Amino acid sequence: MKEKVVSAAQAAQMVESGTHLGVGSGMDMNPMPVVREIIKKGVTDLALTSVLTGGYVADLLIGAGCVASAQFPQIVMDEFGLAPQFRKYSESGRLLNLETM
Amino acid sequence: MSEQAVHPFEQMIVVLSRLVRDGEIAAVGTLSPLPAAALYLAQLRHAPNIEPLVYGDPDMRITDGLHEFFGLAQRGLIDLFFLSGIQIDQQGNFNLSVIGDYHRPKLRLPGGAGSNMMIMMAKRTIFFTITHTKKLFVPRVDFVNGSARDDSIPWRRGVFSHCVTPLALLRFDESKGRLILDATYPGIGIETVAGNTGFDLDTAGRTIPEIDPITEEELSLLRGTVLERLRRVYPLFCDMIWP
């Protein structure tokens, strides 16, 4: 049987610059080791779709300069407040917001 | 009355709770400690048969997260929902996304997160705002996430019911198609409310009642059982208001 288990670094290798990446990016149950490896790899120009809403992961990927556009119904750190990198990149016009209502 | 002075948020929680009708299935989404507390309080007092669906509450009867939440609303099974806004205007438009130009905003906010669907599909929506200023209650919102009325939509079930602020209780008047002042808090005059609102609240010639003061029972329930329940969902908020 084909071995399907890979390391976080190997999984991150499948994510290329420009990939449309869907990731559970709210405030819990996120694949943090893979997200860290994606950032370490220096991926850019991701189209990010937050499933369902965006939180810590979305903010981290945006702040690391990995994301060109974000599709989301909401990006927020829940009780911890506004997502600072999402704010910074949106307010300076460096992030294309494809916002769903 | 208890020794510790009533916090403006406590006053708002009580006003929100009094608007809840017994038997309602009432849902609270993200970032909403005030309505969550209001539902817990209402359940202990005048509305024992409500079902509070508080997002993040470990006892909530919803197991499939937001999917199930939105699904219930679309099927007409949510009677009451709560929303806020960074801007709200006289026509009942609300903004949760940006201040200023959409593509280069002065302030980028979290976004609507299904609020437009919820105000259309929940039977009624009560708004709450943690400030009451002319910056919030504006003549026209910078971005419309949702609306009390939208003539381009062929059918909706939901209405904009009330808006609870730290200064007053506003109500959306369907016949006039606008937000009006419904009642003031004890000790806060109509002039104060009007002076902090960026549009006319239709107060001329109308008698505006004063909200009944918070009772000893409401306050002790709020600072007891309600707070205990709320802490499990909003620990940081509770530490801030009730240190």
Side-chain angles (χ1 to χ4, degrees):
Chain A
M1 203 160 74
K2 194 183 167 195
E3 177 59 53
K4 293 178 183 173
V5 177
V6 296
S7 70
Q10 283 170 314
Q13 285 309 313
M14 294 182 231
V15 180
E16 301 294 336
S17 288
T19 297
H20 187 164
L21 180 69
V23 57
S25 52
M27 292 300 281
D28 47 33
M29 298 292 284
N30 290 309
M32 289 317 300
V34 183
V35 170
R36 271 195 294 274
E37 292 298 331
I38 291 170
I39 290 169
K40 274 197 225 162
K41 193 188 163 190
V43 167
T44 58
D45 297 314
L46 291 178
L48 177 71
T49 291
S50 302
V51 183
L52 285 165
T53 62
Y56 182 59
V57 168
D59 207 53
L60 208 57
L61 287 168
I62 292 166
C66 303
V67 184
S69 66
Q71 188 172 308
F72 62 92
Q74 187 175 59
I75 297 180
V76 68
M77 302 289 214
D78 286 359
E79 210 192 359
F80 302 98
L82 300 178
Q85 299 301 324
F86 166 60
R87 266 195 72 183
K88 197 167 93 182
Y89 276 70
S90 297
E91 289 167 12
S92 60
R94 284 182 287 164
L95 178 72
L96 177 63
N97 287 339
L98 303 170
E99 185 169 2
T100 56
M101 293 295 108
Chain B
M1 195 57 81
S2 307
E3 276 171 34
Q4 195 192 334
V6 175
H7 191 282
F9 286 171
E10 292 180 315
Q11 177 78 72
M12 283 182 67
I13 290 167
V14 167
V15 173
L16 282 163
S17 88
R18 290 174 185 171
L19 294 170
V20 177
R21 299 171 190 153
D22 195 19
E24 283 184 318
I25 299 174
V28 174
T30 55
L31 295 172
S32 303
L34 299 180
L39 289 183
Y40 298 149
L41 180 59
Q43 197 175 26
L44 291 170
R45 291 189 69 254
H46 68 282
N49 303 304
I50 60 169
E51 173 146 26
L53 302 175
V54 174
Y55 186 70
D57 185 333
D59 287 343
M60 181 170 69
R61 206 170 54 89
I62 275 185
T63 52
D64 195 22
L66 287 170
H67 291 288
E68 190 175 348
F69 206 80
F70 290 147
L72 285 172
Q74 286 162 1
R75 287 159 58 205
L77 295 176
I78 305 280
D79 297 308
L80 172 62
F81 189 62
F82 296 90
L83 277 175
S84 189
I86 193 71
Q87 289 179 327
I88 295 173
D89 67 26
Q90 192 184 43
Q91 280 71 48
N93 299 307
F94 60 94
N95 175 9
L96 292 157
S97 286
V98 292
I99 299 289
D101 176 70
Y102 186 80
H103 297 286
R104 285 299 292 271
K106 263 186 267 175
L107 176 58
R108 174 66 232 194
L109 293 145
S115 55
N116 191 30
M117 187 280 286
M118 289 304 290
I119 196 175
M120 298 278 181
M121 294 293 115
K123 286 178 192 150
R124 65 189 185 113
T125 295
I126 295 173
F127 282 73
F128 66 101
T129 65
I130 59 167
T131 61
H132 188 135
T133 65
K134 284 187 170 176
K135 273 182 152 177
L136 199 156
F137 293 100
V138 292
R140 177 73 189 172
V141 296
D142 291 352
F143 184 82
V144 178
N145 284 90
S147 182
R149 284 185 168 179
D150 184 346
D151 293 336
S152 69
I153 304 293
W155 179 81
R156 68 188 286 168
R157 145 190 323 122
V159 298
F160 188 131
S161 175
H162 293 80
C163 182
V164 177
T165 85
L167 291 185
L169 173 62
L170 312 181
R171 177 168 63 81
F172 190 80
D173 187 311
E174 286 289 339
S175 64
K176 292 174 180 157
R178 58 185 280 196
L179 268 177
I180 64 171
L181 182 59
D182 194 58
T184 56
Y185 291 109
I188 297 176
I190 293 171
E191 303 71 28
T192 306
V193 180
N196 286 285
T197 307
F199 51 83
D200 177 64
L201 286 167
D202 193 36
T203 52
R206 289 169 55 228
T207 308
I208 312 289
E210 202 171 82
I211 292 161
D212 290 336
I214 189 166
T215 66
E216 187 76 46
E217 187 212 2
E218 283 169 325
L219 195 60
S220 80
L221 283 172
L222 180 52
R223 291 176 177 176
T225 316
V226 171
L227 179 56
E228 218 170 278
R229 256 184 109 174
L230 191 67
R231 234 181 243 292
R232 299 190 308 165
V233 193
Y234 292 103
L236 297 181
F237 175 83
C238 290
D239 286 348
M240 191 177 77
I241 310 301
W242 298 278

